[in-house]
Amino acid sequence: MARGSGVPLRVVSYNIHGQRDDTAALAAVVRDAAPDVVIVQEGPRRFRWRRKSAALAESFGLVVAGGGLPALGNLLLTSLRVRVLATRCQRFPLTPGRHLRGAAYADCVVAGGARFTVAGSHLSTDPAERPAQAALLKRELDAAGAPVVAGADLNEGPDGPAWATVARGLTDAADAAGRADRLTYPCAAPRRRIDALFVDPRITVVDYDVVDTPLTRRASDHFPVLVDLLLPRPE
């Protein structure tokens, strides 16, 4: 695991399965992790989604930064260490008969003055759709002015074409920590690594974990990815 000087940032990327499991366990998992940023997939995206997003954030001890319905359930939450400067949402083109997918982005500054762009997405379960969605996500990541932290449920593993598109030019946090063998899905019988966190090469990966505990097995059908980072210090 690489170490160096920089501004610390703790990030969780988590597919919460539409809050269809044990919500008390879900809240405990995130609170125990004490993250600065949570990148949520399958967050609130329907009726009263704003209220539901705020309630979810409160249960985590965080605030809503961006996303939700406009990003089709991709939700960005932050602690009070993080100030959000701007947000934007993206919807991928709809294939008839399929679920809409999208992404959320937030330009942020963390205590200590380091700027970064956080992004979250959830790609299609259809392998024919994923490459084009990955290309649209990657275009936005490449256009970010600050170092990128991107969490996603890619619905495919590191040998897939969509994964390769998103990962190009970025650091796979699991690889950087020597823990690419840690599987993220499904909790009942883990057999795939489909949940990933990618970071700008200027960001140092200090630690990486796929949190597998009795609580996480009750909280969702995906394990959360927990990563400690060091952002470049402002010049």
Side-chain angles (χ1 to χ4, degrees):
M1 290 174 285
R3 296 184 182 273
S5 121
V7 178
L9 186 78
R10 172 166 281 196
V11 180
V12 168
S13 186
Y14 204 173
N15 183 322
I16 65 170
H17 199 208
Q19 297 173 266
R20 294 194 292 273
D21 302 292
D22 186 331
T23 55
L26 179 66
V29 166
V30 176
R31 283 182 174 270
D32 287 350
D36 299 304
V37 174
V38 177
I39 304 167
V40 173
Q41 299 91 39
E42 292 196 31
R45 55 174 289 180
R46 300 187 190 281
F47 185 60
R48 294 179 177 169
W49 65 271
R50 289 183 180 85
R51 183 182 301 175
K52 293 175 182 177
S53 296
L56 178 67
E58 183 178 9
S59 77
F60 292 169
L62 303 171
V63 297
V64 176
L69 175 61
L72 299 168
N74 294 288
L75 185 65
L76 305 175
L77 310 176
T78 61
S79 75
L80 297 182
R81 287 191 69 236
V82 177
R83 181 162 56 95
V84 178
L85 306 175
T87 64
R88 54 197 179 279
C89 295
Q90 179 181 26
R91 293 189 176 192
F92 303 137
L94 173 64
T95 301
R98 301 292 183 181
H99 294 295
L100 276 166
R101 302 285 181 171
Y105 308 87
D107 300 322
C108 304
V109 59
V110 67
R115 294 199 175 205
F116 66 100
T117 295
V118 61
S121 189
H122 186 187
L123 302 189
S124 175
T125 56
D126 185 346
E129 284 188 306
R130 285 197 297 269
Q133 294 176 352
L136 291 170
L137 171 63
K138 183 61 173 175
R139 185 175 67 188
E140 294 297 318
L141 298 179
D142 287 346
V148 166
V149 176
D153 173 357
L154 298 169
N155 268 312
E156 68 180 34
D159 58 345
W163 184 296
T165 294
V166 178
R168 187 179 62 248
L170 298 174
T171 298
D172 180 336
D175 282 339
R179 293 180 177 170
D181 60 336
R182 300 294 303 276
L183 306 179
T184 66
Y185 177 84
C187 289
R191 59 182 179 270
R192 304 175 69 197
R193 183 164 80 95
I194 63 175
D195 304 275
L197 192 86
F198 303 104
V199 299
D200 185 289
R202 292 170 289 179
I203 296 174
T204 300
V205 178
V206 176
D207 200 5
Y208 171 96
D209 193 18
V210 174
V211 186
D212 180 354
T213 67
L215 274 179
T216 60
R217 286 177 178 258
R218 299 207 312 264
S220 176
D221 61 342
H222 290 245
F223 292 124
V225 172
L226 171 62
V227 185
D228 284 304
L229 304 171
L230 290 175
L231 303 178
R233 290 193 178 277
E235 296 180 358

Coordinates of all heavy atoms in Angstrom, one line a residue, residues 153-194:
D153 N -20.8 0.6 -9.6 CA -21.2 -0.8 -9.8 C -21.2 -1.0 -11.4 O -22.1 -0.5 -12.0 CB -22.5 -1.1 -9.2 CG -23.1 -2.5 -9.6 OD1 -22.4 -3.2 -10.3 OD2 -24.2 -2.8 -9.1
L154 N -20.2 -1.6 -11.9 CA -20.0 -1.8 -13.3 C -20.7 -3.0 -13.9 O -20.8 -3.1 -15.1 CB -18.5 -1.9 -13.7 CG -17.7 -0.6 -13.3 CD1 -16.2 -0.9 -13.4 CD2 -18.0 0.6 -14.1
N155 N -21.2 -3.8 -13.1 CA -21.9 -5.0 -13.5 C -21.1 -5.9 -14.4 O -21.6 -6.7 -15.2 CB -23.3 -4.7 -14.2 CG -24.4 -4.7 -13.2 OD1 -24.6 -5.6 -12.4 ND2 -25.2 -3.6 -13.2
E156 N -19.8 -5.8 -14.3 CA -18.8 -6.7 -14.9 C -17.5 -6.6 -14.2 O -17.3 -5.6 -13.4 CB -18.7 -6.4 -16.4 CG -17.9 -5.1 -16.7 CD -17.8 -4.9 -18.2 OE1 -18.7 -5.3 -19.0 OE2 -16.7 -4.3 -18.6
G157 N -16.7 -7.6 -14.4 CA -15.4 -7.6 -13.7 C -14.3 -6.9 -14.4 O -14.5 -6.4 -15.5
P158 N -13.1 -6.9 -13.9 CA -11.9 -6.2 -14.5 C -11.5 -6.7 -15.9 O -10.8 -6.0 -16.6 CB -10.8 -6.5 -13.5 CG -11.5 -6.8 -12.2 CD -12.7 -7.5 -12.6
D159 N -12.0 -7.9 -16.3 CA -11.7 -8.4 -17.7 C -12.7 -7.9 -18.7 O -12.6 -8.2 -19.9 CB -11.7 -9.9 -17.7 CG -13.0 -10.5 -17.2 OD1 -13.8 -9.8 -16.6 OD2 -13.2 -11.8 -17.4
G160 N -13.7 -7.1 -18.3 CA -14.7 -6.6 -19.2 C -14.4 -5.3 -20.0 O -13.6 -4.5 -19.5
P161 N -15.0 -5.1 -21.1 CA -14.6 -3.9 -21.9 C -15.1 -2.6 -21.3 O -14.4 -1.6 -21.4 CB -15.4 -4.1 -23.3 CG -16.5 -5.1 -22.9 CD -15.9 -6.0 -21.8
A162 N -16.2 -2.6 -20.6 CA -16.7 -1.3 -20.0 C -15.7 -1.0 -18.8 O -15.4 0.2 -18.6 CB -18.1 -1.5 -19.5
W163 N -15.3 -2.0 -18.0 CA -14.4 -1.8 -16.9 C -13.1 -1.2 -17.5 O -12.6 -0.2 -17.0 CB -14.1 -3.1 -16.2 CG -13.2 -3.0 -15.0 CD1 -11.9 -2.6 -15.0 CD2 -13.6 -3.3 -13.7 NE1 -11.4 -2.6 -13.7 CE2 -12.4 -3.0 -12.9 CE3 -14.7 -3.7 -13.0 CZ2 -12.4 -3.3 -11.5 CZ3 -14.7 -3.9 -11.7 CH2 -13.6 -3.7 -10.9
A164 N -12.6 -1.7 -18.6 CA -11.3 -1.2 -19.2 C -11.5 0.2 -19.6 O -10.5 1.0 -19.5 CB -11.0 -2.1 -20.4
T165 N -12.6 0.6 -20.2 CA -12.9 1.9 -20.6 C -12.8 2.9 -19.4 O -12.1 3.9 -19.5 CB -14.2 2.1 -21.3 OG1 -14.2 1.3 -22.5 CG2 -14.6 3.5 -21.7
V166 N -13.5 2.6 -18.4 CA -13.5 3.5 -17.2 C -12.2 3.6 -16.6 O -11.7 4.7 -16.1 CB -14.6 3.1 -16.2 CG1 -14.6 4.0 -15.0 CG2 -16.0 3.1 -16.9
A167 N -11.5 2.5 -16.5 CA -10.2 2.4 -15.8 C -9.1 3.1 -16.5 O -8.0 3.4 -15.9 CB -9.9 0.9 -15.5
R168 N -9.2 3.3 -17.8 CA -8.1 3.8 -18.6 C -7.6 5.1 -18.0 O -8.3 6.1 -17.9 CB -8.5 3.9 -20.0 CG -7.4 4.3 -21.0 CD -7.9 4.4 -22.4 NE -8.8 5.5 -22.5 CZ -10.1 5.3 -22.8 NH1 -10.6 4.1 -23.0 NH2 -11.0 6.3 -22.9
G169 N -6.3 5.2 -17.7 CA -5.7 6.4 -17.2 C -5.9 6.7 -15.7 O -5.4 7.6 -15.2
L170 N -6.7 5.8 -15.1 CA -7.0 5.9 -13.6 C -6.3 4.8 -12.9 O -5.9 3.8 -13.5 CB -8.5 6.0 -13.4 CG -9.2 7.1 -14.0 CD1 -10.7 7.0 -13.8 CD2 -8.8 8.5 -13.5
T171 N -6.3 4.9 -11.6 CA -5.8 3.8 -10.7 C -6.9 3.0 -10.1 O -7.8 3.6 -9.5 CB -4.9 4.4 -9.6 OG1 -3.8 5.1 -10.1 CG2 -4.4 3.3 -8.6
D172 N -6.9 1.7 -10.3 CA -7.9 0.9 -9.6 C -7.4 0.7 -8.2 O -6.3 0.2 -7.9 CB -7.9 -0.5 -10.3 CG -8.9 -1.5 -9.7 OD1 -9.2 -1.4 -8.5 OD2 -9.3 -2.4 -10.4
A173 N -8.2 1.2 -7.2 CA -7.7 1.2 -5.8 C -7.4 -0.2 -5.3 O -6.5 -0.3 -4.5 CB -8.8 1.9 -4.9
A174 N -8.2 -1.2 -5.7 CA -7.9 -2.5 -5.3 C -6.6 -3.0 -5.8 O -5.8 -3.7 -5.0 CB -9.1 -3.5 -5.8
D175 N -6.3 -2.8 -7.0 CA -5.0 -3.1 -7.6 C -3.8 -2.4 -6.8 O -2.8 -3.0 -6.5 CB -4.9 -2.8 -9.0 CG -5.6 -3.8 -9.9 OD1 -5.8 -4.9 -9.5 OD2 -6.0 -3.4 -11.1
A176 N -4.0 -1.1 -6.6 CA -3.0 -0.4 -5.9 C -2.7 -0.9 -4.5 O -1.5 -0.8 -4.0 CB -3.4 1.1 -5.8
A177 N -3.7 -1.4 -3.8 CA -3.5 -1.9 -2.5 C -3.2 -3.4 -2.5 O -3.0 -4.0 -1.4 CB -4.8 -1.7 -1.7
G178 N -3.1 -4.1 -3.7 CA -2.8 -5.5 -3.7 C -4.0 -6.3 -3.2 O -3.7 -7.4 -2.7
R179 N -5.2 -5.9 -3.4 CA -6.4 -6.6 -2.9 C -7.4 -6.8 -4.0 O -8.6 -6.8 -3.7 CB -7.0 -5.8 -1.7 CG -6.0 -5.8 -0.5 CD -6.6 -5.1 0.7 NE -5.7 -5.2 1.8 CZ -5.8 -4.5 2.9 NH1 -6.8 -3.7 3.1 NH2 -4.9 -4.7 3.9
A180 N -7.0 -7.0 -5.2 CA -7.9 -7.2 -6.3 C -8.6 -8.6 -6.2 O -9.5 -8.9 -7.0 CB -7.2 -7.1 -7.6
D181 N -8.2 -9.4 -5.3 CA -8.8 -10.7 -5.1 C -10.1 -10.6 -4.2 O -10.8 -11.6 -4.0 CB -7.9 -11.7 -4.5 CG -7.3 -11.3 -3.1 OD1 -7.3 -10.1 -2.8 OD2 -6.9 -12.2 -2.4
R182 N -10.3 -9.4 -3.6 CA -11.5 -9.2 -2.7 C -12.7 -9.1 -3.5 O -12.9 -8.1 -4.3 CB -11.3 -8.0 -1.8 CG -10.0 -8.1 -0.9 CD -10.2 -9.2 0.1 NE -11.3 -9.1 1.0 CZ -11.4 -8.3 2.1 NH1 -10.3 -7.6 2.4 NH2 -12.5 -8.2 2.8
L183 N -13.7 -10.0 -3.4 CA -14.9 -10.0 -4.2 C -16.0 -9.2 -3.5 O -16.1 -9.1 -2.3 CB -15.4 -11.4 -4.4 CG -14.3 -12.4 -5.0 CD1 -14.9 -13.8 -5.1 CD2 -13.8 -11.8 -6.3
T184 N -16.9 -8.6 -4.3 CA -17.9 -7.6 -3.8 C -19.3 -8.1 -3.9 O -20.2 -7.4 -3.3 CB -17.7 -6.2 -4.5 OG1 -18.1 -6.4 -5.9 CG2 -16.3 -5.7 -4.4
Y185 N -19.6 -9.1 -4.7 CA -21.0 -9.5 -5.0 C -21.1 -10.9 -5.4 O -20.2 -11.5 -6.0 CB -21.5 -8.6 -6.1 CG -22.9 -8.9 -6.6 CD1 -24.0 -8.3 -5.9 CD2 -23.1 -9.7 -7.7 CE1 -25.3 -8.6 -6.3 CE2 -24.4 -10.0 -8.1 CZ -25.5 -9.5 -7.4 OH -26.8 -9.8 -7.8
P186 N -22.2 -11.6 -5.0 CA -23.2 -11.1 -4.0 C -22.8 -11.5 -2.6 O -22.0 -12.4 -2.4 CB -24.5 -11.9 -4.4 CG -23.9 -13.2 -5.0 CD -22.6 -12.8 -5.6
C187 N -23.3 -10.8 -1.6 CA -22.9 -11.1 -0.2 C -23.1 -12.5 0.2 O -22.3 -13.1 1.0 CB -23.7 -10.1 0.7 SG -23.2 -8.4 0.6
A188 N -24.2 -13.1 -0.3 CA -24.5 -14.5 0.2 C -23.5 -15.5 -0.2 O -23.3 -16.5 0.5 CB -25.9 -14.9 -0.3
A189 N -22.9 -15.3 -1.4 CA -21.9 -16.2 -1.9 C -21.0 -15.4 -2.9 O -21.1 -15.5 -4.1 CB -22.6 -17.4 -2.7
P190 N -20.1 -14.6 -2.3 CA -19.3 -13.7 -3.2 C -18.5 -14.5 -4.3 O -17.8 -15.4 -4.0 CB -18.3 -13.1 -2.2 CG -19.0 -13.2 -0.9 CD -19.7 -14.5 -0.9
R191 N -18.7 -14.0 -5.5 CA -18.0 -14.6 -6.6 C -17.5 -13.7 -7.7 O -16.8 -14.1 -8.6 CB -18.9 -15.7 -7.3 CG -20.2 -15.2 -7.8 CD -21.0 -16.4 -8.4 NE -22.3 -15.9 -8.9 CZ -23.4 -15.8 -8.2 NH1 -23.4 -16.1 -6.9 NH2 -24.5 -15.3 -8.7
R192 N -17.8 -12.4 -7.5 CA -17.4 -11.4 -8.6 C -17.0 -10.1 -7.9 O -17.4 -9.7 -6.8 CB -18.6 -11.1 -9.5 CG -19.3 -12.3 -10.1 CD -20.5 -11.9 -10.9 NE -20.2 -11.1 -12.1 CZ -21.1 -10.4 -12.8 NH1 -22.3 -10.3 -12.4 NH2 -20.7 -9.7 -13.9
R193 N -16.0 -9.4 -8.6 CA -15.7 -8.0 -8.2 C -16.2 -7.1 -9.3 O -15.6 -6.9 -10.3 CB -14.1 -7.9 -8.1 CG -13.7 -6.5 -7.6 CD -12.3 -6.4 -7.2 NE -11.3 -6.4 -8.2 CZ -10.8 -5.2 -8.7 NH1 -11.1 -4.1 -8.2 NH2 -9.9 -5.3 -9.7
I194 N -17.4 -6.6 -9.0 CA -18.1 -5.7 -10.0 C -18.2 -4.3 -9.5 O -18.6 -3.4 -10.2 CB -19.5 -6.3 -10.4 CG1 -20.4 -6.3 -9.2 CG2 -19.3 -7.6 -11.0 CD1 -21.9 -6.7 -9.6

